[in-house]
Amino acid sequence: MLDRKLIRENPELVRAGAKRKGIDAPVDEFLRIDQEWRASVQQLEQKKAESNSISKSIGQLMGQGKTAEAEEAKAQTAQLKSDIKDLEPIERELEAKLHELELQFPNLPHESTPDGLTADENVEVRAWGEKPNGEFLPHQQIAEDLKIIDFAAGAKVSGSGFVVYTGLGAKLVRALVSFMLDFQTERNGYYEVYPPALVSSESLTGTGNLPKFAEDLYKTSDDLWLVPTAEVPVTNLLRDEILDGGQLPIKYAAYTPCFRREAGAAGRDTRGILRMHQFDKVELVKYVHPNESYNELELLTSDAESILQALGLHYRVLLLCAGDMGDKGCKCYDLEVWAPGEERYLEVSSCTNFEAFQSRRTNIRFRPEAGAAPEFVHILNGSGLAIPRLMVALMETYREADGGITIPEPLRRYMGVDRIEPIG
RNA sequence: GGAGAGAUGGCAGAGUGGUCGAUUGCGACGGUCUUGAAAACCGUUAAGGUGAAAGCCUUCAGGGGUUCGAAUCCCCUUCUCUCCUCCA
């Protein structure tokens, strides 16, 4: 959600920003309804003011025992009341329409976000490590040989898009969750939270998943939705609060399972565990001072990268172009880890600065200093990281000639073993 | 699932039809005093909308109703707490 004043005062700026994302924002319709709404508000409030002032005088007359005059004043309010009753639904309808429109505006790309509409126009800003040399197998074969993922069982239990991790495969999932949470809390200063995996429609509207992207989500019969990412509950954690400026930045790390219908992605990345309806992820969310948010985005990105570095995996960092980053962001870096068996990079994290887009929807503000008016915080988030694709890179990178997988040093204390041995 | 109690400003906690947007305390901020700090004392301190501004409007969980007038009365919903029942 954008600032209404910005749309009013700089409609061309808003239109141009949306256009960079390939989106046709309903600027003209917004301006028209906005004007009607404001006229309606003024009309309505004037009637209410009159009515209030008469009521007040009735109170005074009654207090003075002037009942006859009070009765007379009461009669005056009848017309006003009926006017108000007529005007109210008009105002309410215009406001609702305006709100519906404003939810359709995408966030505006930052000036440092490159132009472009497709993934081809993203810009690689840096890479870490190097592609390993040698012969590599695709992860699903490695996983099947070692019996650490049971693909058939996932399909049997739930259908396509689900797997069962077994034995040390299951333990590896758990080890990665623990390792990443410990790393982000102990080294990078995040505060750990474990939120619900079912959330309300309000929460999803706050993060911008609703109303536009309902078809990507699983909805239960109780009006609750399965979270597509921990971003949703965590971003809503401070909804409607006014924070003390001195508390910022506030940094949360959270693990949840993530559930996605992948309705628009049917047929893509169907191999192995590249794209699933359920997967595990540690998410990082920061609430920061607006002046700091671009600096904080760099820090967030490097916090996410530090996991890949600790695991010794080659990756690259892409700065997404305006059209590829989605509706909600201003600037976004993708982390892509190299999967040698797939011979391609896999997205394991998107680190995004949303500026005030989500805080305006969720009404999260801060007071810059005591006595000052509250302002919206800037909210950022990034995966730290998504587990299945990270496992793909680990399996493919660290498989050895005998078929076993060497566990990278930082994971060993969580795995309890140094290697996943081949089945012999 | 059953019974009861409750939801008020950053927090605690008054207020049961008429200058109540709301007493008070804590906290925070400003000041006096002090070499400085503490203590004490004095003062300030909700948010949103609209408007060029003065101002006006809205908000005491949310929605509806009664009334000239609702934090206050009535109805519905949600949430919290206590007890019972059940259950990882």
Side-chain angles (χ1 to χ4, degrees):
Chain A
M1 193 158 91
L2 300 172
D3 187 354
R4 278 185 190 179
K5 287 205 178 83
L6 181 74
I7 308 177
R8 261 176 222 156
E9 290 163 16
N10 284 302
E12 290 317 312
L13 183 90
V14 171
R15 202 195 307 273
K19 196 154 190 168
R20 287 186 69 201
K21 289 191 170 181
I23 293 167
D24 207 6
V27 175
D28 293 326
E29 198 184 355
F30 178 91
L31 291 176
R32 202 184 74 237
I33 303 289
D34 181 54
Q35 200 154 33
E36 283 180 41
W37 171 70
R38 284 191 289 168
S40 158
V41 163
Q42 283 177 44
Q43 213 180 350
L44 176 63
E45 289 192 348
Q46 193 211 326
K47 297 283 184 192
K48 282 189 174 176
E50 275 182 60
S51 165
N52 285 348
S53 111
I54 293 175
S55 287
K56 206 170 254 182
S57 73
I58 291 174
Q60 280 163 3
L61 292 169
M62 302 277 272
Q64 293 161 15
K66 299 177 178 170
T67 24
E69 288 166 54
E71 287 304 320
E72 206 173 300
K74 277 191 201 180
Q76 283 179 33
T77 61
Q79 183 60 43
L80 281 171
K81 269 192 84 171
S82 111
D83 288 350
I84 290 170
K85 227 173 185 141
D86 291 343
L87 290 169
E88 252 173 352
I90 296 172
E91 187 274 337
R92 211 178 318 173
E93 198 179 315
L94 286 167
E95 157 65 31
K97 228 163 154 181
L98 197 62
H99 187 59
E100 197 185 314
L101 278 172
E102 80 184 335
L103 288 179
Q104 289 172 32
F105 280 75
N107 203 353
L108 306 181
H110 188 249
E111 56 187 18
S112 62
T113 290
D115 283 329
L117 292 176
T118 68
D120 297 334
E121 290 158 285
N122 296 336
V123 177
E124 180 175 328
V125 291
R126 63 178 166 273
W128 186 91
E130 280 173 16
K131 293 180 189 172
N133 293 313
E135 297 274 307
F136 299 99
L137 292 176
H139 72 279
Q140 64 268 44
Q141 190 182 332
I142 300 171
E144 276 184 337
D145 289 349
L146 292 172
K147 295 201 188 308
I148 55 177
I149 300 177
D150 190 334
F151 295 95
K156 176 159 73 180
V157 172
S158 303
S160 78
F162 296 89
V163 299
V164 177
Y165 297 96
T166 53
L168 285 175
K171 193 162 187 181
L172 181 56
V173 173
R174 183 155 55 93
L176 284 166
V177 170
S178 293
F179 164 66
M180 294 193 292
L181 281 172
D182 285 349
F183 197 93
Q184 298 299 358
T185 54
E186 289 164 16
R187 286 198 26 173
N188 293 334
Y190 289 81
Y191 183 70
E192 181 174 346
V193 291
Y194 182 64
L198 285 167
V199 294
S200 64
S201 301
E202 290 95 307
S203 290
L204 285 157
T205 304
T207 44
N209 299 82
L210 290 178
K212 262 185 102 169
F213 303 102
E215 71 278 6
D216 296 337
L217 303 166
Y218 288 103
K219 188 180 189 182
T220 72
S221 51
D222 283 334
D223 267 340
L224 289 167
W225 307 67
L226 285 164
V227 294
T229 156
E231 166 195 346
V232 177
V234 176
T235 302
N236 280 279
L237 223 46
L238 299 179
R239 197 160 74 199
D240 295 321
E241 300 216 14
I242 298 176
L243 307 166
D244 184 356
Q247 293 173 263
L248 303 178
I250 294 171
K251 299 158 67 170
Y252 289 116
Y255 156 76
T256 64
C258 303
F259 304 90
R260 300 184 180 180
R261 293 187 62 218
E262 300 291 354
R268 260 171 57 203
D269 298 329
T270 48
R271 266 175 313 161
I273 56 173
L274 293 178
R275 185 179 296 274
M276 292 190 299
H277 291 310
Q278 175 180 344
F279 65 97
D280 297 284
K281 181 160 66 65
V282 168
E283 185 75 5
L284 307 174
V285 178
K286 299 211 265 193
Y287 304 82
V288 310
H289 192 289
N291 294 344
E292 293 298 318
S293 65
Y294 283 92
N295 183 37
E296 291 284 353
L297 176 63
E298 299 302 320
L299 295 173
L300 176 72
T301 307
S302 98
D303 290 340
E305 284 176 61
S306 63
I307 296 285
L308 293 170
Q309 292 175 12
L311 297 176
L313 295 170
H314 166 57
Y315 68 89
R316 64 179 185 180
V317 180
L318 299 181
L319 174 58
L320 298 196
C321 70
D324 194 39
M325 101 175 113
D327 264 42
K328 302 152 26 178
C330 292
K331 185 174 185 178
C332 178
Y333 292 108
D334 270 9
L335 268 48
E336 295 191 337
V337 70
W338 177 249
E342 299 292 324
E343 293 187 50
R344 56 184 273 214
Y345 287 98
L346 303 175
E347 180 188 334
V348 284
S349 180
S350 280
C351 299
T352 309
N353 184 1
F354 301 99
E355 295 195 7
F357 189 78
Q358 292 182 322
S359 55
R360 209 169 275 123
R361 286 174 172 236
T362 45
N363 194 30
I364 302 173
R365 293 168 293 174
F366 76 105
R367 222 179 276 285
E369 49 198 88
E375 293 177 36
F376 290 109
V377 297
H378 281 190
I379 299 178
L380 299 80
N381 71 48
S383 331
L385 306 160
I387 285 179
R389 292 177 187 170
L390 183 58
M391 282 176 70
V392 168
L394 284 169
M395 287 187 276
E396 294 181 358
T397 302
Y398 291 119
R399 178 185 178 271
E400 290 174 358
D402 68 352
I405 297 173
T406 305
I407 302 296
E409 199 281 322
L411 282 178
R412 290 181 187 168
R413 69 185 184 96
Y414 297 98
M415 284 296 284
V417 295
D418 295 356
R419 248 170 80 84
I420 298 176
E421 299 292 346
I423 292 168

